Amino acid sequence: EYATDVYEVNPIYFVLKTQLDQRLPKALDAFQKVYHRNQKYISVTTINGAHLIPVMSIQYCERENRRTKIVTANGTLYVRETLPSLYSRLPESLFAPCHKGFVVRLSWVVKYNRGTVTLMDGTVLPISRSYIDQFRSSIQRFIMSEMQSYMTLQQKYISSRC
């Protein structure tokens, strides 16, 4: 009876009520790809339901016991997803692991040394020896990318003034 109603809308994804917990995050990702092309979001599921989080609001993620804590500009969320799984869905150019239990947004890093990363808000996270080289490479690529973006903007500004 309801099957023909699907022709009156443009469905992105189908979710059965019995599979809501498993399929809603995938449905939200599909929605995000279609309707939020300019600002990237990541969908996560907490005990309170599914959420769309703007990627640029994420400051860092931390593995705590069997949950992953996502610290954002708007608060903290706890998800059951593993940290490696969550990290695989974040842009590699903007995030990097600094420890087995931490992933940090590179634009939030104020300084780092052999043992710690300090974020803009003063949060200090550990860097493990096994991640220091990868983290250093990630931060260098990030800085180079930011410098290239700045130079491009500067050139556009200069050429528009001439």
Side-chain angles (χ1 to χ4, degrees):
E1 172 184 341
Y2 297 106
T4 57
D5 291 344
V6 78
Y7 296 110
E8 296 178 20
V9 296
N10 293 323
I12 297 169
Y13 206 93
F14 291 98
V15 178
L16 298 173
K17 286 183 184 178
T18 57
Q19 297 176 333
L20 196 62
D21 289 339
Q22 298 91 355
R23 301 194 84 168
L24 189 58
K26 291 178 184 176
L28 289 173
D29 277 339
F31 170 79
Q32 176 261 318
K33 287 176 185 169
V34 173
Y35 290 103
H36 297 287
R37 294 183 196 275
N38 293 336
Q39 182 170 8
K40 299 286 185 185
Y41 290 81
I42 188 167
S43 65
V44 296
T45 304
T46 68
I47 59 171
N48 297 324
H51 301 270
L52 280 177
I53 304 172
V55 168
M56 295 310 289
S57 76
I58 299 173
Q59 297 166 1
Y60 69 94
C61 303
E62 175 183 0
R63 188 70 182 161
E64 282 188 355
N65 300 319
R66 294 181 182 225
R67 302 182 303 173
T68 299
K69 176 170 78 171
I70 303 172
V71 178
T72 73
N74 302 319
T76 301
L77 293 168
Y78 290 90
V79 298
R80 289 196 181 130
E81 185 173 0
T82 65
L83 187 59
S85 172
L86 184 64
Y87 174 55
S88 73
R89 297 190 301 126
L90 295 170
E92 191 177 308
S93 61
L94 302 177
F95 291 86
C98 59
H99 187 278
K100 179 181 175 183
F102 293 90
V103 170
V104 66
R105 190 170 104 214
L106 296 169
S107 62
W108 265 74
V109 174
V110 175
K111 68 178 181 176
Y112 72 96
N113 58 36
R114 285 187 140 333
T116 61
V117 176
T118 304
L119 305 182
M120 280 188 215
D121 65 352
T123 301
V124 178
L125 304 176
I127 297 182
S128 65
R129 288 183 301 192
S130 58
Y131 282 85
I132 186 70
D133 291 336
Q134 178 185 355
F135 185 79
R136 184 179 294 125
S137 295
S138 295
I139 201 95
Q140 287 171 349
R141 278 193 309 273
F142 174 76
I143 291 169
M144 291 302 290
S145 173
E146 291 295 304
M147 288 174 58
Q148 287 173 345
S149 295
Y150 174 76
M151 298 289 278
T152 301
L153 285 173
Q154 189 176 31
Q155 288 172 350
K156 286 181 181 177
Y157 175 74
I158 290 170
S159 62
S160 72
R161 305 235 347 148
C162 294

